[in-house]
Amino acid sequence: MRKPKINRMVLAMCLGSFFMLIIYFHSHLKPAQDSGQTRGGRKSVRSPLQALYTTDPTELSPIQLMHQSRRDLLEDVCHSYSHKRRVLIPEDLKHLIVDDQHGLLYCYVPKVACTNWKRVLMVLTGDSQKDPLQIPANEAHVPGTLRTLSEYSTSEINQRLRTYLKFVFVREPFERLVSAYRNKFTRSYNTAFHKRYGTKIIQRHRADASPEALERGDDVSFSEFVRYLVDPGTQREEPFNEHWERVHSLCHPCLIHYNILGKYETLQQDSSYVLKLASVDDKVMFPSSAKSTRTTADMVASYFKDISSAYQKKLYNLYKMDFLLFNYSMPAYLKFT
Ligand SMILES: *[C@@H]1O[C@H](CO)[C@@H](O)[C@H](O)[C@H]1NC(C)=O
């Protein structure tokens, strides 16, 4: 008679941990009410989230109206495409960087100025007043340098999701993808990516690969990379690497109601706006990016010339949610339709 009881207890415990879920109320509708909250040992007058919502709705500036329409559009797309709502689990929050001193949550997306945003957040959360560009790029990416929301307890997570200003920066999906390809597969120094992904891509998607290519994985073509991405086996095996994973999957914009949807195309303007809301625009400037290695729209179009229309279509479908959620139109260079 003891055995079934134990089994039931084990089952209850498993269920208990499984349902350690995160429930938070839609803070995008209403600013947080708990003002004067102490953060980092000092009282702040007004949190960035409150700063966003204090303006009289009839007197919104053009930039406020633009952000409002970006949020509205995303909300509409979420409603028409998300079949069922689900709850967030800590695993979903690994890309959300926390700044407890200023009340900010930033979802980082690789290839969308994330190094510079991490540098800025290191300056904001660190003790030393520094120029963000003095922080070496590799230092900004060391795990553990910045805290992520997944490291907090459920109640701490909920409190932060409710009261902090949540923001993300996005980019035209194929421009981001070509930028990731160029950076990870065409630069000779990225040997870790060549070994980890390049060898696998060549083995699976190149007929008659030479032994050297199979060994080094350093000459993956863009069309081989595309075939790797659209192969259903790739994602069955493991999640995409964050450099080519969709923003939809990295940042969960239909579940986390971002207050600011920043764009790479308006990076300086949107970044300044976030820093202004956080009242730190006098302390830190968002670094202006060097345009020398920028991936341009023309460059992206030339990479797609080698891709058949069938594969273009598969690739578009793969990244479709990122196109729709962030209002990027289907690129004119695509050959299907
Ligand atoms: C969406 O994109 C179109 C075309 O680029 C633009 O005219 C429109 O203002 C955008 N809408 C939002 C909500 O950003």
Side-chain angles (χ1 to χ4, degrees), residues 240-257:
F240 279 161
N241 177 276
E242 62 178 17
H243 290 85
W244 46 87
E245 180 59 283
R246 293 144 296 186
V247 180
H248 183 237
S249 305
L250 291 177
C251 297
H252 309 283
C254 291
L255 299 172
I256 295 169
H257 300 278

PDB file of all heavy atoms in Angstrom, residues 240-257:
ATOM      1  N   PHE A 240      19.077  26.662 -33.063  1.00  0.00           N
ATOM      2  CA  PHE A 240      20.011  27.465 -33.857  1.00  0.00           C
ATOM      3  C   PHE A 240      20.987  28.193 -32.937  1.00  0.00           C
ATOM      4  O   PHE A 240      20.630  28.574 -31.827  1.00  0.00           O
ATOM      5  CB  PHE A 240      19.254  28.531 -34.654  1.00  0.00           C
ATOM      6  CG  PHE A 240      18.626  28.047 -35.929  1.00  0.00           C
ATOM      7  CD1 PHE A 240      17.611  28.794 -36.524  1.00  0.00           C
ATOM      8  CD2 PHE A 240      19.050  26.891 -36.571  1.00  0.00           C
ATOM      9  CE1 PHE A 240      17.028  28.387 -37.722  1.00  0.00           C
ATOM     10  CE2 PHE A 240      18.476  26.478 -37.763  1.00  0.00           C
ATOM     11  CZ  PHE A 240      17.461  27.224 -38.340  1.00  0.00           C
ATOM     12  N   ASN A 241      22.165  28.438 -33.442  1.00  0.00           N
ATOM     13  CA  ASN A 241      23.092  29.318 -32.743  1.00  0.00           C
ATOM     14  C   ASN A 241      22.454  30.715 -32.662  1.00  0.00           C
ATOM     15  O   ASN A 241      21.747  31.131 -33.574  1.00  0.00           O
ATOM     16  CB  ASN A 241      24.417  29.375 -33.511  1.00  0.00           C
ATOM     17  CG  ASN A 241      25.402  30.334 -32.879  1.00  0.00           C
ATOM     18  OD1 ASN A 241      25.374  31.540 -33.131  1.00  0.00           O
ATOM     19  ND2 ASN A 241      26.269  29.814 -32.036  1.00  0.00           N
ATOM     20  N   GLU A 242      22.744  31.424 -31.587  1.00  0.00           N
ATOM     21  CA  GLU A 242      22.081  32.721 -31.369  1.00  0.00           C
ATOM     22  C   GLU A 242      22.356  33.737 -32.477  1.00  0.00           C
ATOM     23  O   GLU A 242      21.581  34.679 -32.651  1.00  0.00           O
ATOM     24  CB  GLU A 242      22.487  33.320 -30.021  1.00  0.00           C
ATOM     25  CG  GLU A 242      23.975  33.610 -29.905  1.00  0.00           C
ATOM     26  CD  GLU A 242      24.378  34.260 -28.584  1.00  0.00           C
ATOM     27  OE1 GLU A 242      23.591  34.208 -27.627  1.00  0.00           O
ATOM     28  OE2 GLU A 242      25.483  34.821 -28.538  1.00  0.00           O
ATOM     29  N   HIS A 243      23.425  33.569 -33.222  1.00  0.00           N
ATOM     30  CA  HIS A 243      23.717  34.539 -34.284  1.00  0.00           C
ATOM     31  C   HIS A 243      22.744  34.449 -35.446  1.00  0.00           C
ATOM     32  O   HIS A 243      22.595  35.388 -36.212  1.00  0.00           O
ATOM     33  CB  HIS A 243      25.161  34.389 -34.777  1.00  0.00           C
ATOM     34  CG  HIS A 243      26.151  34.843 -33.758  1.00  0.00           C
ATOM     35  ND1 HIS A 243      26.600  33.999 -32.755  1.00  0.00           N
ATOM     36  CD2 HIS A 243      26.734  36.038 -33.549  1.00  0.00           C
ATOM     37  CE1 HIS A 243      27.435  34.674 -31.983  1.00  0.00           C
ATOM     38  NE2 HIS A 243      27.532  35.912 -32.441  1.00  0.00           N
ATOM     39  N   TRP A 244      22.135  33.277 -35.629  1.00  0.00           N
ATOM     40  CA  TRP A 244      21.130  33.173 -36.700  1.00  0.00           C
ATOM     41  C   TRP A 244      19.761  32.737 -36.179  1.00  0.00           C
ATOM     42  O   TRP A 244      18.823  32.558 -36.941  1.00  0.00           O
ATOM     43  CB  TRP A 244      21.598  32.293 -37.859  1.00  0.00           C
ATOM     44  CG  TRP A 244      22.241  30.963 -37.505  1.00  0.00           C
ATOM     45  CD1 TRP A 244      21.598  29.785 -37.291  1.00  0.00           C
ATOM     46  CD2 TRP A 244      23.643  30.681 -37.386  1.00  0.00           C
ATOM     47  NE1 TRP A 244      22.510  28.787 -37.023  1.00  0.00           N
ATOM     48  CE2 TRP A 244      23.786  29.313 -37.070  1.00  0.00           C
ATOM     49  CE3 TRP A 244      24.807  31.472 -37.487  1.00  0.00           C
ATOM     50  CZ2 TRP A 244      25.019  28.699 -36.877  1.00  0.00           C
ATOM     51  CZ3 TRP A 244      26.038  30.865 -37.286  1.00  0.00           C
ATOM     52  CH2 TRP A 244      26.131  29.501 -36.989  1.00  0.00           C
ATOM     53  N   GLU A 245      19.620  32.598 -34.884  1.00  0.00           N
ATOM     54  CA  GLU A 245      18.298  32.312 -34.327  1.00  0.00           C
ATOM     55  C   GLU A 245      17.406  33.538 -34.491  1.00  0.00           C
ATOM     56  O   GLU A 245      17.876  34.673 -34.451  1.00  0.00           O
ATOM     57  CB  GLU A 245      18.426  31.937 -32.842  1.00  0.00           C
ATOM     58  CG  GLU A 245      17.113  31.622 -32.142  1.00  0.00           C
ATOM     59  CD  GLU A 245      16.332  30.464 -32.782  1.00  0.00           C
ATOM     60  OE1 GLU A 245      15.707  30.699 -33.848  1.00  0.00           O
ATOM     61  OE2 GLU A 245      16.350  29.355 -32.224  1.00  0.00           O
ATOM     62  N   ARG A 246      16.113  33.305 -34.692  1.00  0.00           N
ATOM     63  CA  ARG A 246      15.182  34.406 -34.910  1.00  0.00           C
ATOM     64  C   ARG A 246      14.930  35.193 -33.629  1.00  0.00           C
ATOM     65  O   ARG A 246      14.908  34.614 -32.544  1.00  0.00           O
ATOM     66  CB  ARG A 246      13.872  33.848 -35.470  1.00  0.00           C
ATOM     67  CG  ARG A 246      14.078  33.285 -36.877  1.00  0.00           C
ATOM     68  CD  ARG A 246      13.254  32.087 -37.140  1.00  0.00           C
ATOM     69  NE  ARG A 246      13.639  30.968 -36.263  1.00  0.00           N
ATOM     70  CZ  ARG A 246      13.142  29.752 -36.356  1.00  0.00           C
ATOM     71  NH1 ARG A 246      12.238  29.490 -37.263  1.00  0.00           N
ATOM     72  NH2 ARG A 246      13.543  28.805 -35.532  1.00  0.00           N
ATOM     73  N   VAL A 247      14.719  36.474 -33.762  1.00  0.00           N
ATOM     74  CA  VAL A 247      14.430  37.324 -32.607  1.00  0.00           C
ATOM     75  C   VAL A 247      13.183  36.797 -31.888  1.00  0.00           C
ATOM     76  O   VAL A 247      13.101  36.803 -30.662  1.00  0.00           O
ATOM     77  CB  VAL A 247      14.201  38.796 -33.039  1.00  0.00           C
ATOM     78  CG1 VAL A 247      13.897  39.673 -31.835  1.00  0.00           C
ATOM     79  CG2 VAL A 247      15.407  39.315 -33.793  1.00  0.00           C
ATOM     80  N   HIS A 248      12.252  36.324 -32.680  1.00  0.00           N
ATOM     81  CA  HIS A 248      11.025  35.743 -32.131  1.00  0.00           C
ATOM     82  C   HIS A 248      11.337  34.641 -31.110  1.00  0.00           C
ATOM     83  O   HIS A 248      10.697  34.548 -30.062  1.00  0.00           O
ATOM     84  CB  HIS A 248      10.196  35.186 -33.300  1.00  0.00           C
ATOM     85  CG  HIS A 248       8.877  34.624 -32.898  1.00  0.00           C
ATOM     86  ND1 HIS A 248       8.509  33.338 -33.167  1.00  0.00           N
ATOM     87  CD2 HIS A 248       7.843  35.183 -32.230  1.00  0.00           C
ATOM     88  CE1 HIS A 248       7.301  33.125 -32.684  1.00  0.00           C
ATOM     89  NE2 HIS A 248       6.874  34.221 -32.120  1.00  0.00           N
ATOM     90  N   SER A 249      12.345  33.831 -31.388  1.00  0.00           N
ATOM     91  CA  SER A 249      12.705  32.743 -30.476  1.00  0.00           C
ATOM     92  C   SER A 249      13.677  33.172 -29.374  1.00  0.00           C
ATOM     93  O   SER A 249      13.704  32.568 -28.311  1.00  0.00           O
ATOM     94  CB  SER A 249      13.356  31.589 -31.255  1.00  0.00           C
ATOM     95  OG  SER A 249      12.520  31.172 -32.298  1.00  0.00           O
ATOM     96  N   LEU A 250      14.474  34.205 -29.647  1.00  0.00           N
ATOM     97  CA  LEU A 250      15.447  34.646 -28.636  1.00  0.00           C
ATOM     98  C   LEU A 250      14.783  35.508 -27.572  1.00  0.00           C
ATOM     99  O   LEU A 250      15.124  35.425 -26.394  1.00  0.00           O
ATOM    100  CB  LEU A 250      16.571  35.472 -29.282  1.00  0.00           C
ATOM    101  CG  LEU A 250      17.571  34.793 -30.207  1.00  0.00           C
ATOM    102  CD1 LEU A 250      18.524  35.837 -30.779  1.00  0.00           C
ATOM    103  CD2 LEU A 250      18.363  33.721 -29.468  1.00  0.00           C
ATOM    104  N   CYS A 251      13.854  36.354 -27.985  1.00  0.00           N
ATOM    105  CA  CYS A 251      13.342  37.398 -27.080  1.00  0.00           C
ATOM    106  C   CYS A 251      11.851  37.283 -26.762  1.00  0.00           C
ATOM    107  O   CYS A 251      11.345  38.027 -25.934  1.00  0.00           O
ATOM    108  CB  CYS A 251      13.638  38.781 -27.664  1.00  0.00           C
ATOM    109  SG  CYS A 251      15.402  39.111 -27.827  1.00  0.00           S
ATOM    110  N   HIS A 252      11.144  36.377 -27.412  1.00  0.00           N
ATOM    111  CA  HIS A 252       9.722  36.122 -27.138  1.00  0.00           C
ATOM    112  C   HIS A 252       8.860  37.388 -27.097  1.00  0.00           C
ATOM    113  O   HIS A 252       8.178  37.657 -26.105  1.00  0.00           O
ATOM    114  CB  HIS A 252       9.583  35.335 -25.828  1.00  0.00           C
ATOM    115  CG  HIS A 252      10.457  34.128 -25.792  1.00  0.00           C
ATOM    116  ND1 HIS A 252      10.144  32.971 -26.478  1.00  0.00           N
ATOM    117  CD2 HIS A 252      11.670  33.917 -25.228  1.00  0.00           C
ATOM    118  CE1 HIS A 252      11.121  32.100 -26.309  1.00  0.00           C
ATOM    119  NE2 HIS A 252      12.064  32.643 -25.566  1.00  0.00           N
ATOM    120  N   PRO A 253       8.892  38.152 -28.182  1.00  0.00           N
ATOM    121  CA  PRO A 253       8.195  39.453 -28.157  1.00  0.00           C
ATOM    122  C   PRO A 253       6.675  39.365 -28.039  1.00  0.00           C
ATOM    123  O   PRO A 253       6.033  40.375 -27.747  1.00  0.00           O
ATOM    124  CB  PRO A 253       8.600  40.102 -29.488  1.00  0.00           C
ATOM    125  CG  PRO A 253       9.009  38.973 -30.355  1.00  0.00           C
ATOM    126  CD  PRO A 253       9.580  37.926 -29.453  1.00  0.00           C
ATOM    127  N   CYS A 254       6.104  38.178 -28.256  1.00  0.00           N
ATOM    128  CA  CYS A 254       4.651  38.071 -28.063  1.00  0.00           C
ATOM    129  C   CYS A 254       4.303  37.745 -26.617  1.00  0.00           C
ATOM    130  O   CYS A 254       3.150  37.844 -26.219  1.00  0.00           O
ATOM    131  CB  CYS A 254       4.049  37.027 -29.003  1.00  0.00           C
ATOM    132  SG  CYS A 254       4.092  37.538 -30.737  1.00  0.00           S
ATOM    133  N   LEU A 255       5.293  37.349 -25.832  1.00  0.00           N
ATOM    134  CA  LEU A 255       5.045  37.017 -24.425  1.00  0.00           C
ATOM    135  C   LEU A 255       5.576  38.104 -23.498  1.00  0.00           C
ATOM    136  O   LEU A 255       5.014  38.370 -22.439  1.00  0.00           O
ATOM    137  CB  LEU A 255       5.713  35.684 -24.069  1.00  0.00           C
ATOM    138  CG  LEU A 255       5.231  34.464 -24.869  1.00  0.00           C
ATOM    139  CD1 LEU A 255       6.094  33.258 -24.562  1.00  0.00           C
ATOM    140  CD2 LEU A 255       3.778  34.172 -24.557  1.00  0.00           C
ATOM    141  N   ILE A 256       6.680  38.714 -23.904  1.00  0.00           N
ATOM    142  CA  ILE A 256       7.262  39.797 -23.123  1.00  0.00           C
ATOM    143  C   ILE A 256       6.888  41.087 -23.843  1.00  0.00           C
ATOM    144  O   ILE A 256       7.237  41.270 -25.000  1.00  0.00           O
ATOM    145  CB  ILE A 256       8.798  39.644 -23.050  1.00  0.00           C
ATOM    146  CG1 ILE A 256       9.140  38.374 -22.272  1.00  0.00           C
ATOM    147  CG2 ILE A 256       9.437  40.875 -22.413  1.00  0.00           C
ATOM    148  CD1 ILE A 256      10.599  37.974 -22.348  1.00  0.00           C
ATOM    149  N   HIS A 257       6.169  41.941 -23.175  1.00  0.00           N
ATOM    150  CA  HIS A 257       5.675  43.140 -23.860  1.00  0.00           C
ATOM    151  C   HIS A 257       6.722  44.235 -23.801  1.00  0.00           C
ATOM    152  O   HIS A 257       6.749  45.026 -22.862  1.00  0.00           O
ATOM    153  CB  HIS A 257       4.346  43.565 -23.259  1.00  0.00           C
ATOM    154  CG  HIS A 257       3.317  42.487 -23.402  1.00  0.00           C
ATOM    155  ND1 HIS A 257       2.602  42.308 -24.560  1.00  0.00           N
ATOM    156  CD2 HIS A 257       2.942  41.493 -22.571  1.00  0.00           C
ATOM    157  CE1 HIS A 257       1.807  41.258 -24.422  1.00  0.00           C
ATOM    158  NE2 HIS A 257       2.006  40.739 -23.221  1.00  0.00           N
TER     159      HIS A 257
END
